[in-house]
Amino acid sequence: MSAKSHSVMIGDLEVHYLEEGRGQPLLLLHGGTATADSWGAAMPQLADRYRVLALDTRGHGRTNNPAQKMSYAQFADDVAGFIATLGLRKPLIIGYSDGGQTALEFGLRHPGKAGALVMGGTVSRLTQAMLEGLRSWGFSVPGEVDLDRLAKEFGPYFEQIKVAHAHHYGPDYWRAFLKQISTLWLTVPTYTERQLASISVPSLVIMGDRDQLGGIDEADRLYRHLGAGELSIIANVGHEAVNKPLFWDAVREFLARHDERQD
């Protein structure tokens, strides 16, 4: 079995997604600058139990961006539109990094629409550690990017970004794309304890213990204030924890306790 590529129109937004498996729908939301293709290793492991749908976020990959700007609130509304358009019932949602931020916003903006949420590498405020990390990459001011520094820090991945997001707007789109990403990352909302407590759906917060953008303290704040939060810390790994087998062991165990087979 292999993932099939599809697209669906939600208003003026053309959402590209990959689909594999059968069962309860499970949405995968990728990180910033990545695409649905980044879930290639995870999808077959989940498709034995779920209908897995991996979306290209607005402005990423093969999904367009008519507004030419990005926000986590808009990403969350796009996910809600996708769920409604495909007629999905109580999908499970796994988000990592920007995808986790989107899952958090989705929980706030669309209560009762998800069966469970997984927020990996997710923060509940723009911390000093995150600011320092972004600045080290070349993101110091919203809407601006030090491209030379970014190219040095990202290495070969910098060239991959240029190619991965050229489908709708051509080979030079990456310049505008990175400026939009800069604004997105440097304007992460601060979520109050009251806001977090309003998310009552079962939610797993999962973080690498050495995550340079989040970290244990931030994961703890998020998990403790969610209405039905759980916490998993992956040892000896940074923001790339999603690539570790222990990450997926924790996710699958969590989902098995909260999917529709347990209702």
Side-chain angles (χ1 to χ4, degrees):
M1 186 184 298
S2 59
K4 294 187 174 1
S5 177
H6 305 281
S7 63
V8 62
M9 295 301 300
I10 304 170
D12 59 356
L13 184 71
E14 182 181 0
V15 177
H16 170 260
Y17 65 101
L18 302 175
E19 181 173 359
E20 184 173 356
R22 306 171 83 176
Q24 184 177 6
L26 185 156
L27 307 187
L28 294 174
L29 309 180
H30 62 74
T33 75
T35 69
D37 292 335
S38 66
W39 297 110
M43 290 187 72
Q45 302 301 315
L46 296 166
D48 63 345
R49 185 177 176 100
Y50 304 106
R51 177 189 176 189
V52 185
L53 305 107
L55 289 66
D56 277 343
T57 300
R58 173 183 291 260
H60 292 64
R62 292 176 172 82
T63 296
N64 67 346
N65 186 9
Q68 287 299 302
K69 60 183 179 180
M70 300 179 186
S71 74
Y72 297 116
Q74 182 62 68
F75 291 170
D77 290 349
D78 293 342
V79 172
F82 180 83
I83 290 169
T85 300
L86 269 65
L88 307 178
R89 188 188 76 84
K90 292 272 190 168
L92 306 164
I93 298 179
I94 301 175
Y96 198 78
S97 196
D98 271 3
Q101 301 300 142
T102 299
L104 175 55
E105 277 281 354
F106 185 88
L108 285 170
R109 297 173 67 85
H110 303 281
K113 298 296 185 182
L117 301 172
V118 175
M119 306 176 199
T122 305
V123 299
S124 61
R125 54 194 170 183
L126 186 59
T127 64
Q128 188 60 36
M130 185 173 180
L131 273 173
E132 291 174 0
L134 294 175
R135 286 168 180 161
S136 74
W137 291 348
F139 299 97
S140 296
V141 179
E144 298 182 17
V145 189
D146 182 336
L147 295 176
D148 291 337
R149 178 181 285 273
L150 187 64
K152 181 180 179 181
E153 293 294 324
F154 277 23
Y157 183 65
F158 184 73
E159 297 302 318
Q160 294 177 32
I161 289 173
K162 297 180 182 181
V163 175
H165 308 292
H167 300 282
H168 279 280
Y169 302 112
D172 292 326
Y173 167 66
W174 63 273
R175 296 179 182 274
F177 171 78
L178 288 172
K179 289 180 179 179
Q180 294 168 28
I181 287 286
S182 175
T183 298
L184 179 73
W185 287 353
L186 288 166
T187 57
V188 171
T190 294
Y191 299 96
T192 66
E193 295 176 5
R194 184 173 182 179
Q195 283 179 299
L196 297 175
S198 73
I199 300 177
S200 60
V201 65
S203 301
L204 174 64
V205 176
I206 185 164
M207 185 80 74
D209 66 342
R210 304 183 186 200
D211 192 311
Q212 63 272 39
L213 301 182
I216 294 175
D217 289 345
E218 184 53 37
D220 184 70
R221 177 182 190 263
L222 181 55
Y223 136 76
R224 286 188 180 279
H225 296 297
L226 289 168
E230 300 183 24
L231 177 63
S232 180
I233 299 296
I234 309 300
N236 197 35
V237 66
H239 198 61
E240 69 279 11
V242 69
N243 298 322
K244 297 295 184 179
L246 281 175
F247 178 96
W248 291 104
D249 289 345
V251 168
R252 286 175 68 91
E253 190 276 336
F254 169 79
L255 294 178
R257 287 187 287 108
H258 296 294
D259 66 22
E260 63 185 7
R261 303 185 198 192
Q262 302 303 315
D263 289 350

